[in-house]
Amino acid sequence: SAPRSDPEEPRISAYACQRRTPLDHLNKIFTDASEVLAENAEFSESEGRGLAFRKAGSVLRSLPFAVSRMEDLRGVPCLGEHSRKIIQEILEDGVSGEVEGVLRSERYRAMKALTGVFGVGVKTADRWVREGLRTPGDLLTSGHRLSREQEAGVRYYEDLNCPVTRAEADAIGEIVKEAVHSILPGARVTLTGGFRRGKEAGHDVDLLITHPEEGKEEGLLGKLTSWLDSQGVLLYQRVSEGSGGRGRESGPMDHFHRSFSILKLGEQPGAPPGPPQPGASSAGQTQEAASPRGQGGAQGRGWRAVRVDLVICPYSQFAYALLGWTGSQQFERDLRRFASQERDMSLNSHGLYQREQVRTPPPPHCISESSPPLSLSLSLSSPPL
Ligand code: TTP
Ligand code: MN
Ligand code: MN
Ligand code: MN
């Protein structure tokens, strides 16, 4: 193979947003390993170590050649000592002993299973593992008090851990489009997240909703989810009110009106999910259960549960929202880091700002609606993700 250390060859950027990264890449054996090590670090709340393995995975995904010897990695950024050691192990032995050990460990397996429940984060899962729980099934028998979100997570565990296909994502998009258009003609619904990047499968469906007439989108989320609920499609939702993108926006988290929801997708993609069932009017109280023990699942039931993120944004922020919600996580993280470190600017899903300076003037309606003009001198500097 050709030498990679040619000084003529352009250097690989340390920013993911400056690297061309194909969906299908040539170093899956290594990125699978770094994914496991990243997860395992995150499970012990070692964010720094987790991030290092995520960055390593990201740069390996962008390489236009399959790594076959350590010299191939000369000049490749974002690979720390630990990552290089793992790669070397895999090159020599076909597998990494450390990764194999993690995959076998009871703690990793239990954390993986429990954080796989919608609504369960690392802290909660860690507490449960220390109490001896291992699987979502254990949660039911142990009599632990679950949040409404976790209850839905356990009920639909099988479905939510079964990848969403592109066809299913499109079908969900159609259901939401139909609902949105019946409420607010002219509104636009855009599929974002992994599917917008061309992925064939994902863990959820991300939909960004706006209307070309600024302000028309206000109040849409509540009407939309009520409509979906009345059709028997809304199995669960948690609404994040945000400020609708109208308040003070800083930091990496966005402030759009948003619903983390679970929708019911009927048998044939695109087919109506059927009439609302009697007594099934409020989300989260659905009668049918997808058991976490295995006999559940979509097969034979005629429908499946799908995680859906519904995000409403004002048209003036649509470009930034679309950019921010397309991902990947690593691309977004580095795009913000690039803005901050290389351009002294601040980027989030609402806009691009000069740092330490007056905020770019918002559209006129914002001034009358939000806080006094004082907020315009708000410093928008924030640490990168
Ligand atoms: P995800 O849906 O978590 O990820 P994904 O669509 O890339 O992959 P998957 O197939 O597993 O669903 O997030 C999509 C993008 O949305 C992510 O790149 C960043 C953005 N995002 C936010 O802006 N705010 C948030 O709170 C979250 C969770 C994501
Ligand atoms: Mn997604
Ligand atoms: Mn994901
Ligand atoms: Mn999502």
Side-chain angles (χ1 to χ4, degrees), residues 180-207:
V180 165
H181 290 156
S182 77
I183 300 161
L184 182 64
R188 295 187 192 169
V189 179
T190 308
L191 184 60
T192 63
F195 290 110
R196 185 157 186 267
R197 303 197 305 275
K199 278 173 64 176
E200 278 303 319
H203 96 284
D204 69 354
V205 181
D206 304 288
L207 295 168

Short mmCIF file of all heavy atoms in Angstrom, two decimals, residues 180-207:
data_model
loop_
_atom_site.label_atom_id
_atom_site.label_comp_id
_atom_site.label_asym_id
_atom_site.label_seq_id
_atom_site.Cartn_x
_atom_site.Cartn_y
_atom_site.Cartn_z
N VAL A 180 -49.46 17.70 11.17
CA VAL A 180 -49.02 19.10 11.16
C VAL A 180 -49.81 19.90 10.12
O VAL A 180 -50.27 21.01 10.38
CB VAL A 180 -47.50 19.18 10.87
CG1 VAL A 180 -47.09 20.59 10.50
CG2 VAL A 180 -46.71 18.71 12.09
N HIS A 181 -50.00 19.32 8.94
CA HIS A 181 -50.69 20.05 7.88
C HIS A 181 -52.16 20.26 8.17
O HIS A 181 -52.75 21.25 7.73
CB HIS A 181 -50.48 19.36 6.53
CG HIS A 181 -49.06 19.49 6.07
ND1 HIS A 181 -48.48 18.61 5.18
CD2 HIS A 181 -48.09 20.39 6.39
CE1 HIS A 181 -47.21 18.97 4.97
NE2 HIS A 181 -46.96 20.05 5.69
N SER A 182 -52.75 19.34 8.93
CA SER A 182 -54.16 19.54 9.27
C SER A 182 -54.30 20.64 10.31
O SER A 182 -55.35 21.25 10.44
CB SER A 182 -54.79 18.23 9.74
OG SER A 182 -54.39 17.96 11.06
N ILE A 183 -53.24 20.90 11.05
CA ILE A 183 -53.28 21.94 12.08
C ILE A 183 -52.80 23.28 11.53
O ILE A 183 -53.39 24.33 11.76
CB ILE A 183 -52.38 21.56 13.28
CG1 ILE A 183 -52.85 20.25 13.91
CG2 ILE A 183 -52.34 22.68 14.32
CD1 ILE A 183 -51.79 19.58 14.77
N LEU A 184 -51.70 23.23 10.76
CA LEU A 184 -51.06 24.45 10.28
C LEU A 184 -50.58 24.25 8.85
O LEU A 184 -49.44 23.86 8.60
CB LEU A 184 -49.87 24.79 11.20
CG LEU A 184 -49.09 26.05 10.91
CD1 LEU A 184 -49.95 27.29 11.07
CD2 LEU A 184 -47.86 26.13 11.81
N PRO A 185 -51.47 24.52 7.88
CA PRO A 185 -51.08 24.34 6.48
C PRO A 185 -49.83 25.18 6.17
O PRO A 185 -49.70 26.29 6.67
CB PRO A 185 -52.29 24.84 5.70
CG PRO A 185 -53.44 24.75 6.65
CD PRO A 185 -52.86 25.00 8.01
N GLY A 186 -48.96 24.64 5.36
CA GLY A 186 -47.75 25.38 4.98
C GLY A 186 -46.57 25.11 5.89
O GLY A 186 -45.45 25.51 5.60
N ALA A 187 -46.82 24.44 7.01
CA ALA A 187 -45.70 24.11 7.90
C ALA A 187 -44.81 23.08 7.23
O ALA A 187 -45.26 22.32 6.37
CB ALA A 187 -46.23 23.57 9.23
N ARG A 188 -43.54 23.07 7.62
CA ARG A 188 -42.59 22.15 7.00
C ARG A 188 -42.03 21.16 8.02
O ARG A 188 -41.65 21.56 9.11
CB ARG A 188 -41.44 22.92 6.37
CG ARG A 188 -41.95 23.77 5.23
CD ARG A 188 -40.82 24.42 4.49
NE ARG A 188 -41.38 25.43 3.58
CZ ARG A 188 -40.64 26.31 2.95
NH1 ARG A 188 -39.33 26.31 3.12
NH2 ARG A 188 -41.21 27.18 2.15
N VAL A 189 -42.00 19.92 7.63
CA VAL A 189 -41.50 18.86 8.50
C VAL A 189 -40.26 18.26 7.84
O VAL A 189 -40.33 17.82 6.69
CB VAL A 189 -42.57 17.76 8.70
CG1 VAL A 189 -42.04 16.65 9.59
CG2 VAL A 189 -43.86 18.35 9.27
N THR A 190 -39.15 18.27 8.54
CA THR A 190 -37.90 17.77 7.96
C THR A 190 -37.31 16.65 8.81
O THR A 190 -37.16 16.80 10.03
CB THR A 190 -36.86 18.91 7.85
OG1 THR A 190 -37.46 20.01 7.17
CG2 THR A 190 -35.62 18.46 7.09
N LEU A 191 -36.99 15.55 8.15
CA LEU A 191 -36.33 14.43 8.83
C LEU A 191 -34.86 14.80 9.05
O LEU A 191 -34.15 15.12 8.11
CB LEU A 191 -36.44 13.19 7.95
CG LEU A 191 -35.92 11.84 8.46
CD1 LEU A 191 -36.63 11.42 9.74
CD2 LEU A 191 -36.09 10.77 7.39
N THR A 192 -34.43 14.79 10.31
CA THR A 192 -33.04 15.16 10.61
C THR A 192 -32.32 13.95 11.24
O THR A 192 -32.66 12.82 10.94
CB THR A 192 -32.97 16.40 11.54
OG1 THR A 192 -33.58 16.07 12.77
CG2 THR A 192 -33.67 17.59 10.93
N GLY A 193 -31.34 14.20 12.08
CA GLY A 193 -30.62 13.11 12.75
C GLY A 193 -29.91 12.18 11.76
O GLY A 193 -29.60 12.57 10.64
N GLY A 194 -29.70 10.96 12.21
CA GLY A 194 -28.95 9.99 11.43
C GLY A 194 -29.53 9.72 10.05
O GLY A 194 -28.80 9.51 9.09
N PHE A 195 -30.86 9.74 9.94
CA PHE A 195 -31.47 9.46 8.63
C PHE A 195 -31.14 10.55 7.62
O PHE A 195 -30.99 10.27 6.44
CB PHE A 195 -32.98 9.26 8.76
CG PHE A 195 -33.33 7.99 9.47
CD1 PHE A 195 -33.87 8.00 10.75
CD2 PHE A 195 -33.08 6.76 8.86
CE1 PHE A 195 -34.16 6.81 11.41
CE2 PHE A 195 -33.36 5.56 9.51
CZ PHE A 195 -33.91 5.59 10.79
N ARG A 196 -30.99 11.79 8.08
CA ARG A 196 -30.61 12.86 7.15
C ARG A 196 -29.16 12.67 6.68
O ARG A 196 -28.79 13.13 5.61
CB ARG A 196 -30.79 14.24 7.80
CG ARG A 196 -30.50 15.36 6.83
CD ARG A 196 -31.16 16.67 7.20
NE ARG A 196 -30.95 17.64 6.13
CZ ARG A 196 -29.93 18.51 6.11
NH1 ARG A 196 -29.07 18.56 7.12
NH2 ARG A 196 -29.78 19.33 5.09
N ARG A 197 -28.37 11.96 7.49
CA ARG A 197 -27.00 11.66 7.08
C ARG A 197 -26.94 10.44 6.19
O ARG A 197 -25.86 9.98 5.82
CB ARG A 197 -26.11 11.45 8.32
CG ARG A 197 -26.10 12.62 9.29
CD ARG A 197 -24.92 12.55 10.27
NE ARG A 197 -24.84 11.32 11.04
CZ ARG A 197 -25.49 11.08 12.17
NH1 ARG A 197 -26.30 11.99 12.67
NH2 ARG A 197 -25.34 9.92 12.79
N GLY A 198 -28.09 9.84 5.91
CA GLY A 198 -28.12 8.70 4.99
C GLY A 198 -28.08 7.34 5.65
O GLY A 198 -28.00 6.32 4.97
N LYS A 199 -28.15 7.31 7.00
CA LYS A 199 -28.13 6.03 7.68
C LYS A 199 -29.36 5.21 7.31
O LYS A 199 -30.43 5.75 7.06
CB LYS A 199 -28.07 6.23 9.20
CG LYS A 199 -26.68 6.50 9.72
CD LYS A 199 -26.66 6.86 11.19
CE LYS A 199 -27.14 5.73 12.09
NZ LYS A 199 -27.01 6.07 13.52
N GLU A 200 -29.21 3.89 7.27
CA GLU A 200 -30.32 3.00 6.93
C GLU A 200 -31.12 2.60 8.15
O GLU A 200 -32.21 2.06 8.05
CB GLU A 200 -29.79 1.74 6.21
CG GLU A 200 -29.54 1.95 4.73
CD GLU A 200 -30.78 2.42 3.97
OE1 GLU A 200 -31.87 1.92 4.25
OE2 GLU A 200 -30.64 3.32 3.12
N ALA A 201 -30.55 2.83 9.33
CA ALA A 201 -31.25 2.48 10.57
C ALA A 201 -30.85 3.46 11.66
O ALA A 201 -29.80 4.10 11.58
CB ALA A 201 -30.90 1.06 10.99
N GLY A 202 -31.69 3.59 12.67
CA GLY A 202 -31.38 4.51 13.75
C GLY A 202 -32.07 4.11 15.03
O GLY A 202 -32.83 3.14 15.05
N HIS A 203 -31.80 4.85 16.11
CA HIS A 203 -32.45 4.49 17.37
C HIS A 203 -33.73 5.29 17.57
O HIS A 203 -34.55 4.96 18.40
CB HIS A 203 -31.47 4.64 18.55
CG HIS A 203 -31.58 5.94 19.27
ND1 HIS A 203 -31.08 7.12 18.78
CD2 HIS A 203 -32.17 6.24 20.45
CE1 HIS A 203 -31.34 8.09 19.64
NE2 HIS A 203 -32.00 7.60 20.65
N ASP A 204 -33.90 6.34 16.76
CA ASP A 204 -35.12 7.14 16.86
C ASP A 204 -35.36 7.87 15.55
O ASP A 204 -34.59 7.71 14.59
CB ASP A 204 -35.02 8.14 18.03
CG ASP A 204 -34.00 9.25 17.76
OD1 ASP A 204 -33.28 9.20 16.74
OD2 ASP A 204 -33.92 10.17 18.59
N VAL A 205 -36.43 8.65 15.51
CA VAL A 205 -36.74 9.48 14.34
C VAL A 205 -36.74 10.93 14.82
O VAL A 205 -37.45 11.26 15.77
CB VAL A 205 -38.12 9.11 13.75
CG1 VAL A 205 -38.42 9.97 12.52
CG2 VAL A 205 -38.18 7.63 13.39
N ASP A 206 -35.90 11.76 14.19
CA ASP A 206 -35.79 13.16 14.59
C ASP A 206 -36.49 14.02 13.55
O ASP A 206 -36.13 13.99 12.37
CB ASP A 206 -34.31 13.56 14.68
CG ASP A 206 -33.53 12.65 15.63
OD1 ASP A 206 -33.74 12.77 16.84
OD2 ASP A 206 -32.74 11.81 15.14
N LEU A 207 -37.48 14.79 13.98
CA LEU A 207 -38.24 15.63 13.05
C LEU A 207 -38.20 17.09 13.48
O LEU A 207 -38.49 17.41 14.64
CB LEU A 207 -39.69 15.15 12.96
CG LEU A 207 -39.88 13.74 12.36
CD1 LEU A 207 -41.30 13.25 12.59
CD2 LEU A 207 -39.54 13.73 10.88
#
